[in-house]
Amino acid sequence: MDSMLGSSKPKHDKLHIAMFPWLAFGHMIPFLEFAKLLAQKGHRITFISTPRNIDRLPNVPPSLAPLISLVKIPLPRVDNLPQDSEATSDVPLKDVAFLEDAYDALHDSLAHFLQSSLPDWILCDFAAYWVPPLARRLNVPSCFFSIFTAATLGFMSPPSAEEDYRRVPEDLAATPKWVNFPTTVAYRYFEASKIGPPCLGWEPHKVGVINRFHGTLRGCDLIAVRTFKEFEAEWLKLLERIHLKPALPVGVLAPKPQEGPEDDDDASWRSIKDWLDNQTKGSVVYVAFGSEAKPSQEELTEIALGLELSGVPFFWVLRKRRGSADTEVVELPEGFEERVKGRGVVSTGWVPQLKILAHDSVGGFLTHSGWSSVVEALQFEKALVLLTFYADQGLNAKLFQEQKIGYLIPREERDGSFTRTAVAESVRVVIKEEEGKIYRDKAKEMRAVIGDVNQQSEYVDNFLDYLGGHKMHHGDH
C-alpha cells in the first residue's frame, strides 16, 4: 500500500486531524483535497462545516470514506444574513461581513467539538483568528493551512498589528516595508481601493480581513502553505522571520482529472471534446474566472469584443450570475455569438475544467488569477493571461507575472478599466506571438515540478512528520 503512495513507511503514528475551513467553496474544496491526501496516508480526518456546505461538497471516494468524517455544525442566525446562506456564493459580496459574523459565532460549537474529541491537531483557515487561542486552552495544537500563496500571506501580515502603517489605497499599492527582498508583489491602485476599509479593519466593530490573517498567523503553532519551495522560497523564509514559527510548503495539491464529477455528464464533455479535437494544437485560449468572480457588464463587453478581435479560437465558460443571490445578470454583446460561430464557444453551464485544460488544443488560460485555477492550468503547462477581479487575485497576478508564467492585461491604474484591444493583444502574445514564448516555456518548466507526484507527496510526508513530532499527549496533563 505505502509503495503506491510514492513514499516508504511513514515515520509518524496515525493522527486525528480536524479541519475547519472558511465558508467559501474556493476554500472548502482545497481543504477537502488536502483531507483526501492525508487520509490516503492512513490518517483520520474530521472535516467541520455547516450542513448545507457539507451537502454540497463533492463525494469522498469510497476507499477514503472510513477515514474522513464530515461533521455538520449549524450556522447561528445572524441579523441581515438571509436564511440558508452558508457560503460566500449564497450572498452578495457586500454582505460577506454578515457571514463572517455567523462564522465567528461557531466558536462555542467548535469548542464543544474540540473538548469532546481532542484531535491531535486542528487545521484552520485565515478567517478563524479565534481558533488558535481556543485550541491552545484545550491543549490542541493549531496549524493555519493557507490555500493562499506565501506571497499573499507575506504581503498581508505585518510583524505585528501595530506595525501595519497602511491606511490608504496607495499604501497597499506598494511593497510593504517588512519585505526584505526585491519584488513587484503589491496591489495596483484600483485593486487596493476595492479592498478598502472593510478589509483593513478601519470600520468600527469589524475585524477586517487583514486582522483575521494576522490574528491567525500570530496565534497558530504552525503555518502550512499550499505552495512549493522552488516557487516561493523567499516568501516562506519571510513568514518564518516575521512570525517566528515554521512555514512549511505542503505542495500544490493538484487535483487529478479523473476525480471530477464529469462522468455524470458525458454528453456535454463529448461535444466539447469534439470541438477541441478539431482545433490546431496549442491554438485555443480557455477563458474562465472561477466560481465567484464576475465581470461587470462593461468588462464583459470588452472581454467578448477582445476575444472576437484577437482572431484566436476560444472556449469561454461564462457565469452570468454569481450564485443565487446575484440579481444583476450580464449579457453578451448583440450578435457576438453569431459572429464568432465555429471559432469561439461560450458555455454557461458546468464544464469539466480539468479535462479542457488537459487537452492539447488549449494553449493558454485567460484567468482571474485564483491560485487553485492556476495550479490546475500549470499542471498541464498552460501559459496564463491575467485579469483580476478582487481579493488576493491582484497579488497572485503580480507574483505570476514576476515569475514569467503570466501576462497581465494592461489596465487603467485608477479605475481598472481595460479595452478590447488590450484583451486581444494580450491573448495573442501568450498564445501565438514570439514575445510570448517566454511564458509558454516557463509554463512547461512549472509542469515538471507540479506534475512530479513523488516530490509533491514528499511535501505532505514532511508536513505529517512535523505534526507527528509535535502533537500533545492528552493523557499527560
Side-chain angles (χ1 to χ4, degrees), residues 53-351:
N53 288 338
I54 286 195
D55 291 342
R56 290 182 283 181
L57 287 172
N59 293 330
V60 171
S63 60
L64 299 177
L67 286 168
I68 299 178
S69 320
L70 301 171
V71 169
K72 300 177 175 181
I73 51 179
L75 194 65
R77 293 287 305 135
V78 166
D79 289 346
N80 303 318
L81 186 65
Q83 188 80 37
D84 287 338
S85 297
E86 297 187 9
T88 52
S89 53
D90 301 330
V91 296
L93 281 176
K94 63 174 179 37
D95 291 345
V96 168
F98 304 123
L99 193 64
E100 290 171 358
D101 294 341
Y103 184 70
D104 293 344
L106 290 168
H107 178 286
D108 294 353
S109 307
L110 191 72
H112 178 73
F113 164 80
L114 289 175
Q115 244 160 342
S116 55
S117 62
L118 291 177
D120 294 310
W121 278 83
I122 181 163
L123 270 51
C124 64
D125 210 331
F126 83 99
Y129 68 99
W130 44 270
V131 167
L134 164 66
R136 181 161 291 137
R137 283 201 301 279
L138 299 170
N139 263 339
V140 175
S142 63
C143 167
F144 170 22
F145 170 50
S146 171
I147 66 152
F148 300 100
T149 58
T152 296
L153 296 189
F155 183 91
M156 287 292 189
S157 62
S160 73
E162 295 66 56
E163 282 177 72
D164 203 346
Y165 57 89
R166 298 174 296 190
R167 285 289 167 271
V168 291
E170 281 82 357
D171 296 333
L172 289 174
T175 310
K177 292 173 181 162
W178 52 83
V179 177
N180 58 344
F181 50 88
T183 177
T184 55
V185 173
Y187 284 108
R188 286 170 290 177
Y189 180 87
F190 66 89
E191 293 162 335
S193 50
K194 252 192 212 169
I195 282 181
C199 284
L200 293 164
W202 303 329
E203 286 183 358
H205 334 300
K206 285 278 170 265
V207 179
V209 170
I210 287 187
N211 289 335
R212 285 180 185 274
F213 270 103
H214 197 260
T216 307
L217 283 159
R218 194 176 46 218
C220 67
D221 298 296
L222 173 67
I223 303 165
V225 190
R226 181 190 183 180
T227 190
F228 53 103
K229 274 211 188 68
E230 297 83 345
F231 190 54
E232 297 194 280
E234 289 181 299
W235 288 103
L236 288 161
K237 280 200 209 84
L238 176 76
L239 288 173
E240 295 195 331
R241 196 190 87 228
I242 290 179
H243 298 291
L244 307 174
K245 61 192 69 164
L248 301 181
V250 296
V252 294
L253 319 180
K256 305 290 169 282
Q258 69 278 13
E259 285 174 8
E262 54 266 328
D263 297 333
D264 313 352
D265 208 354
D266 258 343
S268 83
W269 167 236
R270 256 199 308 273
S271 67
I272 294 170
K273 185 177 183 304
D274 288 345
W275 184 82
L276 288 169
D277 287 347
N278 285 321
Q279 310 302 318
T280 318
K281 185 178 169 163
S283 68
V284 176
V285 64
Y286 174 60
V287 185
F289 303 119
S291 55
E292 296 189 22
K294 189 185 100 174
S296 66
Q297 182 60 60
E298 201 178 330
E299 291 170 336
L300 181 81
T301 301
E302 294 305 314
I303 295 166
L305 298 176
L307 288 169
E308 184 180 344
L309 197 60
S310 72
V312 169
F314 63 87
F315 190 100
W316 184 3
V317 181
L318 174 65
R319 285 191 191 261
K320 294 188 168 187
R321 295 172 61 184
R322 225 194 114 262
S324 51
D326 187 358
T327 49
E328 294 169 34
V329 181
V330 288
E331 296 300 342
L332 288 165
E334 188 84 30
F336 169 75
E337 290 187 84
E338 209 35 60
R339 295 194 301 273
V340 298
K341 208 176 173 74
R343 171 167 71 84
V345 176
V346 179
S347 168
T348 52
W350 182 87
V351 302

